[in-house]
Amino acid sequence: MGATYATPRRGKAAAQRIAGPRISANSRRMSSRSPVRVRFAPSPTGFLHVGGARTALFNWLFARKHGGTFVLRVEDTDQSRNTEEAVQVIYDGLQWLGLEWNEGPLVGGDHGPYFQSQRHAIYERYLKRLLDGGHLYDDAGATRFRSPRQTVVVDDAVCGHIEFDMSNPATHPDMTIRRPDGSWIFHFVNVVDDIEMKISHVIRGEDHLSNTPKHVELYNVLGVKPPVFAHIPLILKRDGKGKMSKRDEGSSVNSYREGGYVPEAVRNYLCLLGWSPKDNREKLDIEEVVQLFDLDKINRRNAAFDLDKCFWLNGQYIAQMPMSRFRELCVPVLQADGILFEALGEAHLENVLGLVKEKIKLITEVGPWTRPLFTEDFPFDDTAVEKTLKPAGTAARLRELASKLNRVTDWSHDPIEAAFKELAAAAGVKPALYIHPARIALSGRAVGPGLYQMMIVLGKDRVLARLEKAAAMAG
RNA sequence: GACCCUAUCGUCCAGUGGUUAGGACAACGGCCUUUCAAGCCGUGAACACGGGUUCGAAUCCCGUUAGGGUCGCCA
């Protein structure tokens, strides 16, 4: 009853359920014996770990793929570290990655509340059932679950058939379910919530694999068929020594957002950790991943996080994304850097962004790269000045260049380039001797957009003025 | 320590009985060039070890070793 996609009551959740792009109402009904319901159940620690984000991603992909429901549940049983801000970090991280949940905080649903701290009555009810069944006993005020002490079989969608011999209490002690102060322990509430929320597939990190038989014991005793388990490999730190933890570089989703990473690139990279399309492609549109994704394509190997590759992929995304998206990503960064780009108009903004789009790897680079194209107030890089501007003769060359450029009437790429070449040829030196100092003079930096393009965007007058100004500080 | 999982280039991912073991990142070299980059081309780089099974094993089995995980009144 009710175990179909067409729920009896057309609640908010039903309306918001993710519809797989190619799942028609008809095919849905045909495969609807048990609707796919998955969940991401983070603890609000004030930190969203990339491993957690990938777990959320795989759940989200699976739900999308099967036209199911992705539930967000906040496991805040440890009230000491449960804060409003900590929960917000989870929302922000998931939203940033585009992993919208269909049921949970903020969006509601028919299986709430979605905070464990608000579900005491439910846990009491289940506790009573266990108690009545004689499965619990008191241990110094805490409540423990008496293991049936049998072999538990877990048929994992990723790890396969595994048997756990639970007969030895020394190696598999009875788990605690409730502390003397009345607060609940993870294993119990996690199972109860999955039952109550009708979770069909539990997709979670492999660190839970060894805990799974305990969970299955609970399901068995409660007379509930366990969900399908799928334990995905862990994300290890760069050197592969241990799972990535809070301290490790790149372990927080937030560090990517702040570091200039593009969410679609990070999401793409995360897809590739433990899963692959099997055809050697790296950059994949998320909709295509949704289509190709499945549990049996997840490998069982823990993977070390390769920040270099994530960085590379980010550059690929930036270079290939539409200008409108690039602009959208850059604007807040430019604003944060205090660059007043609006006064110069939209066309100028897009010209400038076009100059750096295929070169920068991180959105945060846009400020330093483009500041000289928006204002006269830009910094000069000390080492670049020392190396390229200070050598004797540079000032003279910059003035020569200015006077040469002053005679260029058609201010476009080829004539400007020709001016440099002619000047160098006449002086019997390499064009680089004019080019490098010019770059520093115009942008204060040794690295940046194409020199001639930069000059065009800047306009002749400002170019001449900056050359003159730089000549004054040159050797 | 017990139990569970895993084992292909430095890293990620392909390869499920017959391949010159493939791709990507990184590294290195070259080209281009206007610096850095980008782009293009190229090079080096792996089946942990030992036994089986088989005509034939990276692929299947066993063992060893190594790595990871779990054994909480954390989640």
Side-chain angles (χ1 to χ4, degrees):
Chain A
M1 173 68 227
T4 59
Y5 282 103
T7 41
R9 218 175 321 148
R10 310 199 60 142
K12 197 177 174 188
Q16 289 179 342
R17 184 165 295 133
I18 304 174
R22 40 186 46 235
I23 309 252
S24 69
N26 199 36
S27 69
R28 227 185 248 198
R29 196 174 310 120
M30 288 168 67
S31 62
S32 65
R33 194 94 320 138
S34 58
V36 167
R37 289 180 57 84
V38 294
R39 47 63 167 186
F40 176 53
S43 180
T45 59
F47 184 88
L48 182 57
H49 192 272
V50 283
R54 196 209 27 183
T55 299
L57 170 63
F58 281 15
N59 275 282
W60 180 86
L61 286 168
F62 187 70
R64 285 286 311 269
K65 164 77 181 218
H66 296 284
T69 303
F70 176 46
V71 179
L72 174 63
R73 178 174 78 224
V74 179
E75 305 219 330
D76 56 348
T77 56
D78 187 349
Q79 49 283 78
S80 64
R81 57 185 185 189
N82 174 32
T83 65
E84 196 71 25
E85 306 82 73
V87 179
Q88 191 62 43
V89 169
I90 294 168
Y91 302 157
D92 290 347
L94 293 178
Q95 284 166 351
W96 184 67
L97 287 170
L99 307 179
E100 305 293 341
W101 52 101
N102 312 103
E103 275 182 37
L106 270 32
V107 303
D110 296 337
H111 303 76
Y114 294 94
F115 290 87
Q116 288 186 330
S117 58
Q118 297 168 18
R119 300 174 61 82
H120 283 98
I122 295 166
Y123 305 142
E124 290 285 3
R125 220 168 67 224
Y126 276 80
L127 186 81
K128 178 140 196 315
R129 277 171 64 182
L130 291 178
L131 197 57
D132 292 349
H135 301 294
L136 304 181
Y137 63 92
D138 180 273
D139 177 16
T143 304
R144 283 184 186 272
F145 172 76
R146 184 179 288 108
S147 167
R149 304 258 159 250
Q150 291 170 342
T151 292
V152 174
V153 172
V154 175
D155 278 303
D156 194 279
V158 174
C159 301
H161 180 95
I162 305 167
E163 294 186 10
F164 295 87
D165 178 1
M166 306 294 281
S167 64
N168 186 354
T171 56
H172 296 92
D174 287 338
M175 67 178 146
T176 305
I177 267 180
R178 192 177 203 181
R179 302 184 189 88
D181 69 0
S183 58
W184 306 98
I185 301 294
F186 160 76
H187 303 292
F188 174 65
V189 293
N190 187 266
V191 166
V192 169
D193 287 341
D194 285 344
I195 292 171
E196 284 286 303
M197 295 182 179
K198 304 209 165 18
I199 299 304
S200 63
H201 296 72
V202 169
I203 303 169
R204 57 173 24 162
E206 199 207 86
D207 48 349
H208 286 299
L209 184 57
S210 297
N211 290 147
T212 304
K214 290 191 282 200
H215 300 173
V216 171
E217 287 182 332
L218 245 20
Y219 280 99
N220 290 160
V221 154
L222 288 165
V224 177
K225 183 166 173 267
V228 174
F229 290 100
H231 288 91
I232 65 181
L234 266 19
I235 296 180
L236 271 23
K237 28 183 137 196
R238 291 253 253 172
D239 59 9
K241 299 270 182 208
K243 56 178 175 179
M244 196 184 243
S245 69
K246 202 164 177 170
R247 309 210 86 73
D248 300 308
E249 185 189 9
S251 67
S252 128
V253 170
N254 216 24
S255 70
Y256 293 89
R257 175 154 50 165
E258 290 170 353
Y261 283 82
V262 175
E264 47 269 43
V266 175
R267 185 175 58 192
N268 190 151
Y269 178 74
L270 255 18
C271 286
L272 264 18
L273 235 35
W275 175 89
S276 98
K278 308 283 184 195
D279 60 6
N280 285 339
R281 282 182 300 162
E282 311 286 336
K283 184 168 181 279
L284 294 160
D285 188 86
I286 193 67
E287 290 304 329
E288 192 168 4
V289 177
V290 167
Q291 266 187 48
L292 297 172
F293 187 82
D294 236 325
L295 263 20
D296 57 15
K297 289 222 274 298
I298 295 175
N299 70 29
R300 304 167 71 170
R301 280 270 278 148
N302 290 164
F305 195 96
D306 187 352
L307 201 51
D308 285 335
K309 189 157 180 177
C310 187
F311 179 76
W312 167 79
L313 198 53
N314 202 58
Q316 295 291 304
Y317 266 88
I318 290 174
Q320 293 169 30
M321 68 176 54
M323 175 55 82
S324 58
R325 173 62 172 151
F326 186 54
R327 182 193 184 286
E328 173 183 39
L329 291 165
C330 288
V331 162
V333 174
L334 291 172
Q335 282 167 340
D337 283 354
I339 294 172
L340 305 171
F341 58 88
E342 273 138 340
L344 296 168
E346 185 60 28
H348 183 74
L349 173 62
E350 293 210 357
N351 276 343
V352 170
L353 293 183
L355 259 36
V356 300
K357 184 168 174 290
E358 288 179 16
K359 296 193 164 199
I360 63 173
K361 298 297 240 333
L362 259 17
I363 294 293
T364 43
E365 290 173 324
V366 75
W369 278 59
T370 66
R371 169 171 247 117
L373 297 168
F374 289 113
T375 172
E376 294 302 314
D377 180 26
F378 58 88
F380 278 77
D381 179 75
D382 288 340
T383 59
V385 168
E386 210 54 45
K387 186 178 165 209
T388 312
L389 238 39
K390 288 303 184 192
T394 307
R397 270 197 287 272
L398 284 172
R399 294 200 170 96
E400 262 181 79
L401 177 63
S403 107
K404 176 81 177 175
L405 288 171
N406 192 26
R407 295 196 293 276
V408 173
T409 49
D410 176 12
W411 195 251
S412 57
H413 188 282
D414 290 354
I416 292 173
E417 180 177 18
F420 274 90
K421 297 252 162 89
E422 286 166 19
L423 199 56
V429 298
K430 287 164 58 168
L433 280 175
Y434 291 93
I435 286 164
H436 297 324
R439 170 177 291 286
I440 311 300
L442 299 180
S443 70
R445 298 160 50 93
V447 181
L451 178 60
Y452 308 138
Q453 293 173 301
M454 209 157 45
M455 291 170 71
I456 294 166
V457 168
L458 243 22
K460 187 170 171 179
D461 292 347
R462 273 189 294 178
V463 167
L464 297 181
R466 287 187 189 182
L467 288 176
E468 197 51 50
K469 189 178 158 198
M473 67 169 100

